[in-house]
Amino acid sequence: MNAPAGPFGRPLAALATVVALVLVVAGCGTGDPSGSARTERVTSLTVLDYYTDTTEHAHWGELLTSCGKKAGVTIEHRSVPGPSLVPTVVRQATAGTLPDLLMLDNPDLQEIARSGVLTPLRTYGIRTDGFVSGIVSAGTYQGEVYGLAPTVNTLALYYNKDMLAEAGVTVPRTWNELREAARATTRPGRHGLAVDADASFESTFQFLPFLWSNGGDEQRLDTPQAAAALRLWTDLVRDGSMSRSVLTWNQANVHEQFLGGKAAMMVNGPWRMTELEKAKGLRWGVAPLPVPRSGRSLVTPLGGEVWTVPRSDSQARRIKAAQVLDCLNDPTSMQTLANWHHTVPSRKDVAARYAKQVPAMAAFVESVRGARARTRDLGPAWPKTATAIQTAVQAAVSGRQTPEEALRRAQRTATDS
């Protein structure tokens, strides 16, 4: 399971400093996987990620150990808290002590790759055939693939079957149906819908499906399409279908509202499924997020982590690390991870099989097919725009500004150099 904060709420402030690291690694070329690599004997590899949850860390440790055995090496596996990962990478790069295999939250890859501390995966013959295109995009910088994710995630709509049935409404497929269902299921002590609209990157992540599916563009936030998406949220709060408290709720809080019967529907990710399966008496379902109107395509943001091979002076170590990375991304590993954590396998054929095996995951598998990497259009500039979006959400949902005013300000903030 992914950490409750989600793989898309990691602080990115330290990323701006990483660019300077290119001076540190200058001269450390990828080299041809030959020569000295044939004579240097590698018996162990270091691995760094942010899977600090006890169960998650153990699962990844088990898989890394298995892949290490296939590559003929032992694995020294270390996990640090999510907010500490990028600063740790910065320090290690400066000191020349980067791990042999490095996991990154996918929005971080662009900035780290730009700094010059990662090696292109094509160097090691790693192919991306059969991967969902958005997943390949998330690991790509300037045309080179630097990272691959074994499994990914995105957002969908969870709904309480009994509450919708009581209100006489069906699972909403469009925004109008969502408004109707949220209004009909709202009762004293219960709201129809819960979302994350707090001042964090989680809020941006949750708003993106509404922005993108309505034709909005993070490169141009002050458009009627963007304003209409934000107005949907503000109207739901204004008519009482969503609690004003969404301004302070993170995704874990949203989950608690749904689990406790205080919300009939919620926007959330598949990492919530494990806890929901344990809930007694709760009849729930999952569907793709509603689109603005029938016939429109759903576009959701891609969440998840990519695995990379940092630069080093040792070709042999890089080759072994790439072998482990390739193993993590093979169909068997993907299926194992999906079964453990309710995540979506990155290969299309594996994901299709998984959706049949676990029907509750079908909505996520379907949504991942059209999911978009947050850095696809803005690259390393994404964090600044993400901050501008979450600020606009806060201003509009709180009523301090209209959606149009909030998004005009967000556009100025995002483009102010």
Side-chain angles (χ1 to χ4, degrees):
M1 71 184 163
N2 288 1
F8 28 77
R10 311 296 181 187
L12 302 178
L15 289 176
T17 63
V18 180
V19 174
L21 298 177
V22 70
L23 298 177
V24 177
V25 299
C28 297
T30 59
D32 180 23
S34 58
S36 62
R38 294 175 180 169
T39 58
E40 183 182 355
R41 185 167 180 264
V42 178
T43 59
S44 66
L45 296 176
T46 56
V47 176
L48 180 66
D49 59 38
Y50 58 43
Y51 299 126
T52 54
D53 174 83
T54 302
T55 300
E56 198 169 29
H57 180 83
H59 282 163
W60 277 100
E62 181 180 334
L63 184 58
L64 285 163
T65 297
S66 175
C67 286
K69 287 181 179 178
K70 292 179 181 178
V73 295
T74 59
I75 299 294
E76 299 174 18
H77 179 207
R78 181 189 175 206
S79 297
V80 297
S84 302
L85 182 63
V86 169
T88 298
V89 171
V90 171
R91 291 193 299 272
Q92 290 179 336
T94 303
T97 58
L98 281 166
D100 299 303
L101 192 62
L102 172 65
M103 183 225 74
L104 293 169
D105 193 9
N106 81 74
D108 294 353
L109 179 130
Q110 295 268 329
E111 192 71 33
I112 300 297
R114 183 171 72 168
S115 74
V117 302
L118 304 178
T119 58
L121 297 186
R122 65 175 174 81
T123 306
Y124 315 103
I126 294 177
R127 301 173 62 86
T128 59
D129 305 55
F131 280 71
V132 175
S133 61
I135 296 171
V136 177
S137 172
T140 300
Y141 174 69
Q142 293 190 342
E144 289 279 10
V145 178
Y146 288 92
L148 277 180
T151 61
V152 294
N153 61 72
T154 190
L155 294 167
L157 183 74
Y158 287 87
Y159 57 93
N160 185 304
K161 294 181 178 181
D162 293 330
M163 291 179 184
L164 263 62
E166 175 195 22
V169 293
T170 58
V171 179
R173 306 295 180 184
T174 66
W175 286 4
N176 282 338
E177 292 175 359
L178 179 64
R179 291 187 184 97
E180 179 186 350
R183 188 181 305 114
T185 53
T186 296
R187 301 279 190 279
R190 183 179 87 199
H191 292 87
L193 179 66
V195 303
D196 174 350
D198 72 344
S200 75
F201 287 108
E202 290 186 8
S203 172
T204 301
F205 191 80
Q206 290 226 335
F207 179 64
L208 285 177
F210 299 89
L211 173 70
W212 286 343
S213 299
N214 200 41
D217 187 346
E218 66 270 29
Q219 298 179 92
R220 194 75 213 177
L221 295 171
D222 54 349
T223 64
Q225 293 88 347
L230 187 49
R231 188 173 300 108
L232 173 67
W233 280 24
T234 61
D235 287 351
L236 287 167
V237 170
R238 187 168 55 191
D239 72 13
S241 298
M242 286 202 313
S243 170
R244 185 180 172 85
S245 296
V246 297
L247 289 163
T248 61
W249 288 348
N250 60 26
Q251 290 178 118
N253 301 139
V254 169
H255 170 77
E256 290 163 3
Q257 292 293 310
F258 184 78
L259 190 63
K262 296 180 180 180
M265 297 176 288
M266 72 168 174
V267 176
N268 229 314
W271 54 89
R272 297 297 167 197
M273 208 169 286
T274 299
E275 290 302 313
L276 289 176
E277 288 173 340
K278 298 176 185 177
K280 296 181 179 179
L282 178 61
R283 297 178 64 248
W284 54 275
V286 191
L289 289 171
V291 293
R293 58 183 178 275
S294 182
R296 291 299 295 263
S297 297
L298 173 65
V299 185
T300 61
L302 191 70
E305 298 83 23
V306 296
W307 288 86
T308 68
V309 178
R311 289 182 184 269
S312 72
D313 291 328
S314 172
Q315 292 179 10
R317 298 187 73 86
R318 293 198 305 271
I319 292 170
K320 288 292 185 181
Q323 290 173 4
V324 175
L325 184 151
D326 204 26
C327 173
L328 293 177
N329 284 277
D330 71 22
T332 301
S333 296
M334 288 183 179
Q335 182 71 51
T336 298
L337 289 166
N339 291 338
W340 278 341
H341 304 148
H342 287 116
T343 46
V344 178
S346 296
R347 295 180 189 268
K348 300 174 187 176
D349 56 346
V350 183
R353 290 196 301 271
Y354 179 56
K356 292 179 181 178
Q357 295 165 359
V358 186
M361 285 296 298
F364 292 105
V365 170
E366 178 183 340
S367 299
V368 161
R369 294 191 192 109
R372 181 186 300 176
R374 285 156 281 175
T375 52
R376 188 194 72 174
D377 294 334
L378 293 177
W382 165 249
K384 185 176 183 180
T385 297
T387 301
I389 291 173
Q390 73 191 41
T391 302
V393 168
Q394 284 265 301
V397 172
S398 67
R400 296 196 307 271
Q401 294 179 317
T402 67
E404 289 80 3
E405 291 168 342
L407 288 165
R408 281 196 294 270
R409 180 179 179 183
Q411 180 64 22
R412 292 194 299 270
T413 301
T415 56
D416 180 20
S417 58

